[in-house]
Amino acid sequence: MSDLVKVESPLQHADFAALSALTTEGGVVLREDALLGHVNLRGNAQDPEFVAGVAKTLGLALPLAPCSSAQNDDTTIMWLSPDEWIILVEGGKEEATEASLRANLTGHFAVSDISGGQTILELSGDDCIKVLQKSTGYDVHLDNFPIGKVVGTTFAKSSAYIRRTGEQSFQLVIRRSFSDYIWLWLQQSSKEYGLRIAL
């Protein structure tokens, strides 16, 4: 018997590959960044050894300012609260990342692999900000939302961590259990602008 478990995106049934071929036009572009490694980290940001241990492990300084993030070629770290972060790594590297953090950190901390419970949707395009404004009560006006900012907020009748990644691009970190609902919501809320699926 094989020990391998088939891993699928929670939106596998949407068949984004087929949908991406339907149109090359639309003011909103949606892409699922599926099957990344998601590692939740808790610890004391005031502890220099904790901060140094994270930097040693990930090669990236822990973002300490509220609603901030940090990124290099391999890793993204998002600030969630004064003592909590989410670390995104390439799919398949989450177990090694968790093990390395445990090896390099001391004192009180917690590290959890939550990859199976979340996915990421990327929104971009000329009209993506209008869809976000429909979807959340948070002020996502670009003057209030610089590149790299992260907020945890309501999204439709669910929730998401929203991170601005570029001039007209955002990441939505969403729960697996709400992914189908949010996918349906985005189809409906972007209808007037046109929705294009990217791979």
Side-chain angles (χ1 to χ4, degrees):
M1 180 185 294
S2 172
D3 292 332
L4 297 179
V5 176
K6 184 178 180 181
V7 179
E8 289 185 340
S9 153
L11 292 172
Q12 180 76 19
H13 65 283
D15 196 358
F16 284 166
L19 292 176
S20 68
L22 295 180
T23 181
T24 58
E25 299 181 356
V28 179
V29 181
L30 175 65
R31 176 181 174 272
E32 185 186 16
D33 202 353
L35 306 181
L36 291 181
H38 297 233
V39 177
N40 183 267
L41 175 65
R42 304 294 297 262
N44 182 2
Q46 305 303 314
D47 179 355
E49 291 187 3
F50 172 75
V51 173
V54 173
K56 176 183 177 182
T57 303
L58 303 177
L60 188 62
L62 193 65
L64 302 179
C67 302
S68 64
S69 64
Q71 183 176 13
N72 60 23
D73 291 342
D74 303 312
T75 306
T76 298
I77 309 174
M78 300 183 192
W79 183 100
L80 305 186
S81 76
D83 68 349
E84 183 177 12
W85 298 262
I86 185 169
I87 301 164
L88 303 177
V89 296
E90 181 183 334
K93 293 187 176 179
E94 57 272 20
E95 184 177 344
T97 299
E98 180 182 355
S100 295
L101 284 166
R102 292 186 183 281
N104 289 321
L105 299 179
T106 58
H108 296 286
F109 68 90
V111 184
S112 305
D113 177 2
I114 57 172
S115 306
Q118 299 188 150
T119 193
I120 293 178
L121 297 177
E122 297 180 352
L123 278 182
S124 59
D126 293 341
D127 295 309
C128 73
I129 190 69
K130 296 174 185 174
V131 171
L132 289 174
Q133 288 169 336
K134 286 184 179 185
S135 305
T136 180
Y138 187 83
D139 181 6
V140 292
H141 190 282
L142 297 185
D143 290 344
N144 183 57
F145 215 121
I147 293 172
K149 184 173 182 176
V150 180
V151 296
T153 185
T154 57
F155 192 90
K157 294 182 179 179
S158 181
S159 62
Y161 289 105
I162 305 174
R163 175 175 177 253
R164 187 176 175 198
T165 56
E167 287 301 319
Q168 292 180 313
S169 59
F170 294 82
Q171 280 181 329
L172 306 177
V173 182
I174 60 173
R175 293 183 182 181
R176 182 183 190 95
S177 55
F178 285 101
S179 59
D180 194 55
Y181 163 73
I182 290 178
W183 159 232
L184 294 172
W185 171 272
L186 290 172
Q187 290 177 73
Q188 183 65 34
S189 60
S190 62
K191 188 171 288 187
E192 65 186 289
Y193 314 113
L195 178 64
R196 178 164 61 90
I197 304 301
L199 297 179

